[in-house]
Amino acid sequence: MKNLPIAIFACAALAACGQPEPKQTSQTAVPAMEDTLAQMPGGGPKQQSSTNEQLFRTTLAAFRTAATAGDHATLEKMIRFPLQTAPKWSDEDLRNGTADTVSGKLTEKRFPKYKDNIFSPEIKSALEKENGEEVREIAVGSEDDYYSRLRAGLDSSAPLYEVYHQFPEKDGSSDTYFAFIFGKVGQEYKLTGFYTKWPIRD
């Protein structure tokens, strides 16, 4: 009988071993519903923060495809008319009265006449190869007169995006350049400005 307490203790221990352990909270549990939605397409602030750049990148890809293929019918739909085609001016040019901000505007009716000047073989080649390309965001609130005038009629809360190319002249004497500027119209980005080293209109 002296061993009875030890036997009782052993039985109690065996009984405890047969019981399931209490569940513990996992450190890798599925996050709360609001966090899960934020990671899903169309849900949460993460999607909203990059919407403008995503829209622009989608437009740029389609624009590049249409331009290099010479698909002017599609390009016309991607342009916000009138399209500014004057050489880019500075604020100093404006103060000195040497900037022409009007004659470079191209209407939809006159676009067919100058489309080959805008989408020349050299420009299409540069777009296709992406040589010397720089893409930059023109922030909302930029005080530069050239960009301020392009913003008229656009979504004022969205940035502009400029696609700039620099490449050698045919004779190799100097570099030339061109740029396409896109602005947000409704829920999509459209081409709203184009400039190059020389005026495209005679």
Side-chain angles (χ1 to χ4, degrees), residues 31-81:
M33 182 61 72
E34 56 268 25
D35 294 333
T36 305
L37 288 175
Q39 298 172 21
M40 295 173 62
K46 290 184 179 180
Q47 190 269 347
Q48 295 174 359
S49 65
S50 59
T51 295
N52 286 328
E53 185 175 355
Q54 288 175 354
L55 288 173
F56 161 68
R57 293 290 179 181
T58 298
T59 295
L60 179 59
F63 178 83
R64 194 188 303 278
T65 298
T68 55
D71 185 355
H72 295 118
T74 296
L75 288 170
E76 282 192 46
K77 297 175 183 177
M78 304 181 75
I79 298 174
R80 195 282 300 263
F81 290 103

Side-chain angles (χ1 to χ4, degrees), residues 21-27:
E21 293 184 2
K23 291 184 177 180
Q24 297 182 3
T25 304
S26 170
Q27 296 298 319

Side-chain angles (χ1 to χ4, degrees), residues 136-143 147 151 156 158-161:
R136 68 184 184 117
E137 178 180 315
I138 311 299
V140 174
S142 171
E143 296 181 359
Y147 297 110
R151 289 185 183 281
S156 60
L160 300 174
Y161 289 94

Side-chain angles (χ1 to χ4, degrees), residues 81 96 102 120 128 132 136 151 174 176 186 190:
F81 290 103
N96 294 336
V102 179
S120 66
E128 187 174 25
R136 68 184 184 117
R151 289 185 183 281
S174 63
T176 188
K190 290 195 171 190

Side-chain angles (χ1 to χ4, degrees), residues 66-194:
T68 55
D71 185 355
H72 295 118
T74 296
L75 288 170
E76 282 192 46
K77 297 175 183 177
M78 304 181 75
I79 298 174
R80 195 282 300 263
F81 290 103
L83 175 66
Q84 178 60 268
T85 66
K88 184 181 177 183
W89 61 84
S90 67
D91 289 353
E92 185 177 355
D93 293 332
L94 199 65
R95 287 191 293 271
N96 294 336
T98 57
D100 185 350
T101 65
V102 179
S103 64
K105 291 184 177 181
L106 198 63
T107 63
E108 186 172 7
K109 184 177 180 180
R110 293 180 64 80
F111 173 74
K113 181 178 179 179
Y114 297 98
K115 67 182 188 311
D116 291 331
N117 294 354
I118 299 173
F119 300 102
S120 66
E122 294 79 15
I123 288 177
K124 289 194 291 185
S125 177
L127 283 174
E128 187 174 25
K129 297 177 182 177
E130 301 183 37
N131 290 337
E133 179 178 275
E134 296 179 13
V135 178
R136 68 184 184 117
E137 178 180 315
I138 311 299
V140 174
S142 171
E143 296 181 359
D144 188 300
D145 184 79
Y146 176 81
Y147 297 110
S148 295
R149 290 176 185 263
L150 290 182
R151 289 185 183 281
L154 298 175
D155 183 340
S156 60
S157 66
L160 300 174
Y161 289 94
E162 180 176 279
V163 183
Y164 179 91
H165 282 264
Q166 184 171 329
F167 56 97
E169 295 270 16
K170 287 182 178 180
D171 59 7
S173 59
S174 63
D175 284 347
T176 188
Y177 58 85
F178 68 89
F180 292 102
I181 301 98
F182 295 83
K184 191 176 181 185
V185 181
Q187 295 301 311
E188 61 182 339
Y189 269 84
K190 290 195 171 190
L191 179 66
T192 189
F194 166 80

